[in-house]
Amino acid sequence: MEKKKQRLFVRTVILFLLVGALVYTLYANFNKDNNSAAKKGSEAPDFVLTDLEGNKHKLSDYKGQGVFLNFWGTWCKPCEREMPYMDNQYKAYKDKGVQILAVNVGESNYSVQNFVDRHKLSFPVLIDKDSQVQTAYDIDPLPFTFLIDKDGKIVDTVKGELTEEIIKNHMERIKPN
């Protein structure tokens, strides 16, 4: 009789732990968007990433300028199609106070460098090796772009592939006066 009570107690504790884990998981998933630090109207989470030349880029160092922050991958066909458009607009806006930072999501320097060379990209390409920035910005799917104003606030977020005209319009939106 004593063993039956002990087994019932252990099973009850395990059941409560499982129910607690389920409730927590559901709560966390339903409130994920509300807790995201990287959303429209909020301060853009700061980060430091290294580009292909070994230079460090800290997002907060770009205050005073608009930042077109794009997350991408070499394997992502929509990302590949929008890169030449981004490069054209970077050349047009970099002297007008708008920068492009293209954050690759954890690929090797070799594959990213090959991609950059093949497309002759001139804007800074950063690599998020351990996916910390991707996680902080809650990126999914690629490509994903954040428009950040001169004060470091997120003006808008854009999921998916962009045309050259749309990129130009976004650059105008974040261009400092």
Side-chain angles (χ1 to χ4, degrees):
M1 189 69 169
E2 190 61 38
K3 280 200 179 240
K4 279 187 176 181
K5 283 184 179 179
Q6 194 174 14
R7 266 195 308 242
L8 179 63
F9 176 74
V10 170
R11 288 178 181 164
T12 305
V13 168
I14 291 171
L15 180 63
F16 276 115
L17 289 173
L18 289 173
V19 169
L22 177 65
V23 169
Y24 173 77
T25 301
L26 290 172
Y27 174 80
N29 281 331
F30 284 121
N31 289 307
K32 184 169 88 171
D33 292 335
N34 298 338
N35 295 333
S36 174
K39 61 185 175 190
K40 190 174 174 178
S42 70
E43 181 91 12
D46 201 10
F47 61 83
V48 177
L49 289 175
T50 305
D51 66 20
L52 292 168
E53 284 79 45
N55 303 313
K56 293 204 179 300
H57 294 261
K58 185 175 183 180
L59 181 63
S60 57
D61 289 345
Y62 288 90
K63 279 205 176 156
Q65 301 178 68
V67 177
F68 185 95
L69 180 63
N70 178 265
F71 290 85
W72 67 285
T74 61
W75 47 266
C76 166
K77 290 301 174 192
C79 302
E80 187 170 8
R81 287 190 295 267
E82 71 183 9
M83 286 290 170
Y85 305 143
M86 287 170 48
D87 200 57
N88 291 341
Q89 295 309 310
Y90 173 71
K91 290 172 183 170
Y93 281 88
K94 67 180 179 179
D95 295 329
K96 297 178 182 176
V98 180
Q99 298 297 317
I100 288 181
L101 295 177
V103 178
N104 176 272
V105 293
E107 295 181 80
S108 73
N109 283 28
Y110 179 78
S111 62
V112 174
Q113 187 66 62
N114 283 341
F115 183 94
V116 168
D117 293 345
R118 189 169 66 247
H119 294 284
K120 297 176 177 49
L121 302 177
S122 59
F123 50 79
V125 175
L126 318 176
I127 300 179
D128 186 16
K129 291 241 184 264
D130 55 8
S131 300
Q132 286 188 348
V133 178
Q134 181 183 3
T135 301
Y137 279 80
D138 196 22
I139 303 305
D140 188 44
L142 295 177
F144 203 108
T145 303
F146 288 83
L147 305 176
I148 302 170
D149 70 12
K150 64 182 177 58
D151 299 318
K153 296 266 189 269
I154 298 172
V155 173
D156 211 347
T157 61
V158 186
K159 280 184 188 181
E161 183 178 352
L162 301 170
T163 65
E164 186 150 12
E165 188 63 31
I166 291 172
I167 292 170
K168 181 179 180 183
N169 290 339
H170 288 323
M171 301 293 258
E172 278 296 322
R173 288 176 66 195
I174 58 174
K175 182 174 80 172
N177 295 332

